[in-house]
Amino acid sequence: MQQIFNFVIRNKTFLLFLLLFGIALSLTIQSHSYHRSQFINSANSLTGGVYGTVNSVGQYFDLKEQNTILVEENKKLREELLNTVKTPQNTAIDSSLIDKRFKIVSAEVYKNSYNSPNNYLTINRGKRDSIQQDFGVITSKGIVGIIDNTSKKFSTVLSILSKKSRINAMLKTSNQSGSLKWNEASPYIVQLEDVSKFANVTIGDTIVTGGQSAIFPKGLGIGVVEKYTIDAGGDTYIIQVRLFNDMTTLQHVYIIKNNDIEELKTLEALNNE
């Protein structure tokens, strides 16, 4: 307290000036409408700027929560889309009226490789989330890979950027199918091989999943035709496909849980005996 008194005594002249200046300024503002309006505008501008800055900071720290909400909403929409059944008359049947074959689980990518001959992702979903080997992994843009191994809390995903990867895919316009592979040349380009030379292929055509396995439903996006050539045998096309996904920047993915996968595997095993 004594230090405060000493400060006031030492600076009494300056403090008295500030007091008188403040009184004079207040009287001027009160007695002149122009000065009053200018003061109010300046105050509003200052407080508006402060509130804007505070709001921007709040939104920045709220980004993670908002992103999580968007991921969950996207998951629900994609699950409804995958479970929508179309009749021969091309009429959609509400997925709420039928047993849902597919369930979507969102996941975060903890690790992602794309420069090796056989690339893998590590995601934060595992056996405790009912994730199994051979479940498909996608993003909102297109396919990513297939679940390879699982632990309690994590899973590894065999990327489509892998020499081991073989995925059934087709031309969306003609339904001509082939096998999706990767030649290691670029993380943005994969190859669709074994497509009949009689297929009608055009630059820019969309490539989607063929649906001839229990892993990916038919019609999921993969990429577009960038160029194509006839293979050495002269019977089929080798199509260069530019991926919809940027496989080098993956952060969030969706796992497709096929509720019928065990039944389909059992049936396929009987056919292979």
Side-chain angles (χ1 to χ4, degrees), residues 41-61:
N41 288 339
S42 298
N44 287 340
S45 177
L46 177 62
T47 54
V50 172
Y51 289 146
T53 302
V54 172
N55 185 58
S56 297
V57 172
Q59 287 180 342
Y60 174 79
F61 287 105

Side-chain angles (χ1 to χ4, degrees), residues 49 53 69 74 87 115 120 141 152 156 205 214 218 229 247 268:
T53 302
I69 293 172
N74 199 2
T87 66
N115 292 320
Y120 290 86
K141 294 181 178 180
K152 181 179 179 181
T156 55
D205 281 352
K218 183 178 180 179
T229 56
M247 297 293 292
E268 289 172 359

Side-chain angles (χ1 to χ4, degrees), residues 197-214:
K197 67 177 181 180
F198 300 108
N200 184 19
V201 184
T202 305
I203 302 296
D205 281 352
T206 300
I207 305 299
V208 297
T209 51
Q212 296 182 14
S213 73

